[in-house]
Amino acid sequence: MDKLLVICLLFLTFSKGCKKKNTQPKEVYFYVQKTNDTTYYHIVSNSFAPIEISARLRKNESKNILVKGGLVSSKDTLFNVIKTSNKLHDEIGQSNFLSEYIDTSFYYGDSKTAKHNTDYLYSLPIEIGQDVRISQGFNGKSSHTAIHSKYAIDFDIPVGTPIYAAREGTVVYAINNFKKSGGKNYVKKANKIVILHNDGTFGAYSHLMHNGTLVKKGDTVKRGQHIGYSGNTGFSRGPHLHFAVRLPKDICVPIYFEGYLNTIFKKGDIVKRLK
Ligand SMILES: [Zn+2]
């Protein structure tokens, strides 16, 4: 490469995907390569999950720009996402090029290969023997109505309650620096852990307490492993654990738990992890 430049290091919260223009997960970078007459943009990922990228021209008349999306594998590079002439690129300047011409969206996961294993019985993410009340289940009217949350489950547990991996996998996201809770403007301010499962789905454990994670990106976790402590951070009305399993593009899927085959938890149910 003649010239490599990191030009974008913006941050994306996992739970909502990325629909903002030209923002992306912070572990994903655009790199610029220039030859004598052509400018190329490549995407390099340091993520532990595959990431799907859609990219399109914002201006139809910009015929001298070729744009394609695709899948960048974990710790890999997707080449030639954007190709244009140096003349056009340098006219507008590198800092304005993306914002003027290109729309990009980024999602964790590979939607072509991910397929939720509906036979998998999840382990309750709570301590063995503990009675826990369900405060919201599938399609809960309070906040489990969107495509990314409709099969989420809320466990009514106090701040500082140990939580455990419901399924084995690789940690692809872990954040624990938030302290506060509030209304919808706090939706991107929840501490959380996201674990990639071997069927391509993601388990998300949300609203964890400040400094309430015991795992970090890249860690392999076992089913039943103590991974953190519940809390009340982000868009939350009170202490609880919000647990959801999602396909790529934030599509929440129904799940069932060991000891509760085909049981749909409802608000007010008391559940207990037996082993
Ligand atoms: Zn919830």
Short mmCIF file of all heavy atoms in Angstrom, two decimals, residues 136 143-144 149 152-154 207 240-243, ligand 1:
data_model
loop_
_atom_site.label_atom_id
_atom_site.label_comp_id
_atom_site.label_asym_id
_atom_site.label_seq_id
_atom_site.Cartn_x
_atom_site.Cartn_y
_atom_site.Cartn_z
N GLN A 136 -40.47 -8.81 33.19
CA GLN A 136 -41.01 -8.60 31.84
C GLN A 136 -40.57 -9.77 30.96
O GLN A 136 -39.42 -10.22 31.04
CB GLN A 136 -40.50 -7.27 31.24
CG GLN A 136 -41.32 -6.79 30.08
CD GLN A 136 -40.87 -5.45 29.49
OE1 GLN A 136 -41.44 -5.00 28.52
NE2 GLN A 136 -39.85 -4.83 30.05
N SER A 143 -41.30 -2.43 27.44
CA SER A 143 -40.21 -2.10 26.52
C SER A 143 -39.80 -3.26 25.61
O SER A 143 -38.84 -3.12 24.85
CB SER A 143 -38.98 -1.62 27.31
OG SER A 143 -38.53 -2.64 28.17
N HIS A 144 -40.51 -4.39 25.64
CA HIS A 144 -40.13 -5.52 24.79
C HIS A 144 -41.05 -5.60 23.57
O HIS A 144 -41.73 -6.60 23.35
CB HIS A 144 -40.16 -6.84 25.58
CG HIS A 144 -39.14 -6.89 26.67
ND1 HIS A 144 -39.03 -7.94 27.54
CD2 HIS A 144 -38.17 -6.00 27.01
CE1 HIS A 144 -38.04 -7.70 28.40
NE2 HIS A 144 -37.51 -6.53 28.10
N SER A 149 -36.00 -6.48 20.72
CA SER A 149 -36.26 -6.77 22.14
C SER A 149 -37.47 -7.63 22.40
O SER A 149 -37.77 -7.95 23.55
CB SER A 149 -36.41 -5.45 22.91
OG SER A 149 -37.54 -4.74 22.44
N ALA A 152 -36.97 -10.60 24.65
CA ALA A 152 -36.08 -10.41 25.79
C ALA A 152 -36.79 -10.79 27.08
O ALA A 152 -38.02 -10.85 27.13
CB ALA A 152 -35.63 -8.95 25.86
N ILE A 153 -35.99 -11.04 28.10
CA ILE A 153 -36.54 -11.38 29.42
C ILE A 153 -35.85 -10.51 30.46
O ILE A 153 -34.63 -10.35 30.44
CB ILE A 153 -36.29 -12.87 29.72
CG1 ILE A 153 -37.10 -13.73 28.73
CG2 ILE A 153 -36.69 -13.23 31.15
CD1 ILE A 153 -36.54 -15.08 28.54
N ASP A 154 -36.66 -9.93 31.35
CA ASP A 154 -36.12 -9.12 32.44
C ASP A 154 -36.19 -9.91 33.75
O ASP A 154 -37.27 -10.40 34.12
CB ASP A 154 -36.92 -7.82 32.60
CG ASP A 154 -36.66 -6.83 31.47
OD1 ASP A 154 -35.69 -7.04 30.71
OD2 ASP A 154 -37.43 -5.87 31.36
N HIS A 207 -27.72 -3.66 31.32
CA HIS A 207 -27.96 -2.84 32.52
C HIS A 207 -27.06 -3.25 33.69
O HIS A 207 -27.41 -3.05 34.85
CB HIS A 207 -29.44 -2.89 32.97
CG HIS A 207 -30.41 -2.61 31.87
ND1 HIS A 207 -30.43 -1.42 31.19
CD2 HIS A 207 -31.38 -3.39 31.31
CE1 HIS A 207 -31.38 -1.47 30.27
NE2 HIS A 207 -31.96 -2.65 30.32
N HIS A 240 -32.46 -4.50 37.28
CA HIS A 240 -32.86 -5.77 36.66
C HIS A 240 -31.78 -6.19 35.67
O HIS A 240 -30.93 -5.38 35.28
CB HIS A 240 -34.22 -5.66 35.96
CG HIS A 240 -34.22 -4.86 34.69
ND1 HIS A 240 -34.13 -3.47 34.65
CD2 HIS A 240 -34.31 -5.25 33.38
CE1 HIS A 240 -34.18 -3.05 33.40
NE2 HIS A 240 -34.27 -4.11 32.60
N LEU A 241 -31.86 -7.44 35.26
CA LEU A 241 -31.04 -7.92 34.14
C LEU A 241 -31.95 -8.11 32.94
O LEU A 241 -32.96 -8.81 33.03
CB LEU A 241 -30.37 -9.27 34.49
CG LEU A 241 -29.67 -9.95 33.30
CD1 LEU A 241 -28.44 -9.18 32.87
CD2 LEU A 241 -29.31 -11.40 33.65
N HIS A 242 -31.59 -7.50 31.85
CA HIS A 242 -32.30 -7.67 30.57
C HIS A 242 -31.44 -8.63 29.74
O HIS A 242 -30.29 -8.33 29.43
CB HIS A 242 -32.43 -6.30 29.89
CG HIS A 242 -32.97 -6.30 28.50
ND1 HIS A 242 -34.28 -6.00 28.20
CD2 HIS A 242 -32.36 -6.52 27.30
CE1 HIS A 242 -34.46 -6.04 26.88
NE2 HIS A 242 -33.31 -6.36 26.31
N PHE A 243 -32.03 -9.79 29.41
CA PHE A 243 -31.28 -10.77 28.63
C PHE A 243 -32.02 -11.04 27.32
O PHE A 243 -33.23 -11.29 27.32
CB PHE A 243 -31.12 -12.08 29.42
CG PHE A 243 -30.41 -13.16 28.63
CD1 PHE A 243 -29.09 -12.99 28.24
CD2 PHE A 243 -31.07 -14.33 28.26
CE1 PHE A 243 -28.43 -13.97 27.49
CE2 PHE A 243 -30.41 -15.31 27.53
CZ PHE A 243 -29.09 -15.13 27.14
ZN ZN B 1 -35.94 -5.73 29.21
#
